[in-house]
Amino acid sequence: MTTQTQRIPLTDRQAGAGVGSESESTPAPVLPPISRKKQAAVLFSAFVTIALTIGYNQCFGVFQQYYLSPNQDILVPSPASQVSPPTALLAFVGTLCYGLTWAGGILVNPVISRIEHGTWATTTPSTRLWRRRILRLLTPRTITISGVLMMSAGFTLASFSSSIWQLLLTQGFLVGLGMSLLYFPLLAPAPEYFTNHRATAMGFILAGGGAGGLVFSSAIQALLSSIGGRWTLRIYAAFNLIAGLPVAWAVPRSRFAAFSTAEGPERRNTHVSRALASRPTFVFSAVAAFLQAAGAQLPLAFIPSYTVVLGQTASKGANLLAASNAINAVSRVLTGYAGDRLGRQNTLLLTLLLAACSVFAFWLSSVLVTTSSFSLWLAFIAFYSFSSGGYYALFPALIAEVFGIRQYAAVNAFILFVRGLGTMFGSPVGGQLLGSSEEGTGAYASIAYWDGALLMGATACCAGVRWADGKGKGWKWIA
């Protein structure tokens, strides 16, 4: 049976015309054909990668609630026995991991590009033997496998921790760095394998974060309740090793690496030029990414703890976090599909505005009212989880659309670096804004105001991207 293939031309818009000086004079190349089987393999491997990295990060709130509970067996002394529990510092364990997962791309992407382009090829006889051997082993596959090993080592070492600073080094820094080494080599080339249905494909891939969070939230809570924190971390380390190694082995190659020029394989741009950085669309995109990342993780970090404050059990909090991830996973697929038809920028802007409004309409109302607080909280989780999925599903395809596929790797790495900084900024500040336990639900009022303000600011910046892109390329209602 003949395998179905697809020859994908790079139009001027896709190639990033207008982004750099060369794109105007250089004819757009035709990338080699790609089979449906290869596209399916890229979809599956990237989906699992997102589940293992973003899915875990989105359910760290379960660990955070456990560390703050009197039943935890990791930290000595127990944070629950302290007059002022270190909520902000424990939240930073999760946000450090999440932030490094994204921020590491500013280093990982250029390394991957140099490897695929052959910049570090060892062709000179004068090169030392040990250096030739090391560079020969340096491939995208060794980087992704190293990432999986680093993740598992981080969880294993965290199981022997007894203080927060040790968790920061292991479950925060080491796991986050390993996730970055796995995430970017598999995710950076993924949009190159799709054209007309790019937003739908990326929506499916990024739905892995919600799917992973759905499974991991309930599983981690069950393990923590039955066998304690130390063995939960060890089992999770083994699971990462078993599930991560096959995916790391299947890392796809950039399609530009297979396209040769007179100088050799075409290398993806991995650095943002000064001209690109000065464009209004880029500035608005970067600020929006920072604010959205800072605000989007706050509800996920505090869903378990706020649910307990409302009088529910920790298991109920974990189940609500799992439900949030499930709704978010469905949302990413649906908004990706809608973005291909209604316009990716339009859909992203609308869903981000709805997410910001839901914070004020439901979460803040749940904090301030004395009755129906739990019902408002459930409404917030459902509404916010669905609307917040739009940004995650659409911003990769939007980057390719606004800046061109040739600039995707550079802009995506920088935007995710900024998102990493935003993630490490939002939740720790939220932890500092958390009031005392005697205030009940009122302790979360400042967090809700803070979260809503961040998301409203991100919405305004995305509107700026829409305006600037329309001004530069000509206004279109479907964009």
Side-chain angles (χ1 to χ4, degrees):
M1 184 161 45
T2 306
T3 305
Q4 233 181 335
T5 61
Q6 191 176 7
R7 182 173 291 274
I8 302 177
L10 253 67
T11 63
D12 288 341
R13 181 178 177 86
Q14 290 170 317
V19 173
S21 58
E22 292 180 0
S23 61
E24 297 178 357
S25 58
T26 304
V30 176
L31 291 175
I34 182 69
S35 67
R36 300 291 186 186
K37 182 178 179 181
K38 182 62 178 178
Q39 287 180 319
V42 171
L43 276 177
F44 177 76
S45 60
F47 179 90
V48 175
T49 299
I50 288 288
L52 292 175
T53 55
I54 306 304
Y56 160 78
N57 282 316
Q58 291 188 174
C59 67
F60 178 79
V62 177
F63 274 112
Q64 181 177 319
Q65 174 60 26
Y66 174 78
Y67 292 144
L68 289 169
S69 71
N71 300 322
Q72 63 88 29
D73 62 351
I74 299 284
L75 300 174
V76 180
S78 175
S81 64
Q82 301 178 28
V83 177
S84 179
T87 305
L89 196 56
L90 282 170
F92 189 62
V93 175
T95 54
L96 176 62
C97 179
Y98 210 157
L100 285 175
T101 301
W102 281 335
I106 205 165
L107 297 177
V108 177
N109 269 347
V111 171
I112 293 293
S113 179
R114 281 168 170 75
I115 291 172
E116 292 178 333
H117 186 249
T119 304
W120 291 338
T122 54
T123 56
T124 57
S126 60
T127 306
R128 294 182 181 274
L129 179 62
W130 64 268
R131 186 171 182 269
R132 291 203 300 269
R133 289 176 176 174
I134 291 176
L135 294 178
R136 195 179 299 120
L137 294 173
L138 193 59
T139 65
R141 185 172 289 166
T142 57
I143 290 177
T144 53
I145 291 175
S146 299
V148 173
L149 296 177
M150 197 175 295
M151 289 161 57
S152 296
F155 286 120
T156 302
L157 292 174
S159 70
F160 296 99
S161 299
S162 59
S163 59
I164 297 178
W165 72 265
Q166 292 171 338
L167 288 178
L168 284 168
L169 289 177
T170 55
Q171 198 173 359
F173 178 80
L174 193 58
V175 172
L177 191 58
M179 286 184 174
S180 184
L181 294 176
L182 175 66
Y183 180 95
F184 282 98
L186 279 141
L187 265 292
E192 300 170 9
Y193 286 79
F194 307 94
T195 51
N196 294 333
H197 303 289
R198 182 177 292 140
T200 303
M202 294 307 297
F204 175 83
I205 289 171
L206 294 168
L214 167 65
V215 175
F216 299 152
S217 296
S218 301
I220 290 173
Q221 179 61 46
L223 288 172
L224 290 173
S225 300
S226 58
I227 60 176
R230 297 191 184 278
W231 277 105
T232 297
L233 288 166
R234 291 163 190 165
I235 291 174
Y236 196 74
F239 166 76
N240 264 276
L241 201 62
I242 295 170
L245 285 177
V247 175
W249 188 266
V251 56
R253 192 183 185 193
S254 169
R255 298 190 67 212
F256 287 114
F259 179 77
S260 298
T261 64
E263 292 78 20
E266 178 161 323
R267 179 181 160 192
R268 290 178 294 165
N269 292 326
T270 54
H271 293 89
V272 175
S273 66
R274 184 176 300 178
L276 177 58
S278 63
R279 292 173 57 185
T281 48
F282 183 86
V283 175
F284 279 126
S285 296
V287 178
F290 181 89
L291 295 176
Q292 193 275 342
Q297 301 310 313
L298 274 168
L300 297 178
F302 291 102
I303 280 177
S305 60
Y306 186 72
T307 302
V308 172
V309 170
L310 289 174
Q312 307 299 314
T313 63
S315 296
K316 176 66 78 67
N319 290 336
L320 288 179
L321 184 58
S324 172
N325 282 297
I327 296 170
N328 192 265
V330 175
S331 168
R332 295 185 189 197
V333 176
L334 294 179
T335 52
Y337 180 84
D340 280 331
R341 282 146 185 81
L342 305 177
R344 295 156 189 174
Q345 297 184 57
N346 295 340
T347 309
L348 185 147
L349 185 58
L350 176 61
T351 55
L352 193 53
L353 176 62
L354 292 175
C357 291
S358 70
V359 175
F360 292 115
F362 298 114
W363 190 8
L364 187 59
S365 297
S366 172
V367 169
L368 298 179
V369 302
T370 56
T371 58
S372 304
S373 292
F374 188 61
S375 298
L376 288 168
W377 179 236
L378 292 178
F380 167 73
I381 290 176
F383 198 84
Y384 175 82
S385 300
F386 186 84
S387 56
S388 66
Y391 186 91
Y392 294 98
L394 294 169
F395 93 86
L398 187 143
I399 289 173
E401 177 181 301
V402 173
F403 300 100
I405 194 66
R406 285 177 179 272
Q407 296 292 335
Y408 176 83
V411 177
N412 186 57
F414 187 87
I415 292 296
L416 287 177
F417 172 74
V418 172
R419 286 182 58 76
L421 298 180
T423 301
M424 290 187 278
F425 174 72
S427 293
V429 173
Q432 289 292 336
L433 294 174
L434 181 65
S436 63
S437 57
E438 290 79 11
E439 298 178 57
T441 58
Y444 289 80
S446 296
I447 297 179
Y449 281 118
W450 169 243
D451 189 35
L454 289 170
L455 293 176
M456 278 297 184
T459 303
C461 290
C462 284
V465 174
R466 179 76 171 91
W467 165 79
D469 188 58
K471 184 180 179 181
K473 298 176 181 176
W475 183 263
K476 295 180 180 179
W477 288 107
I478 304 297

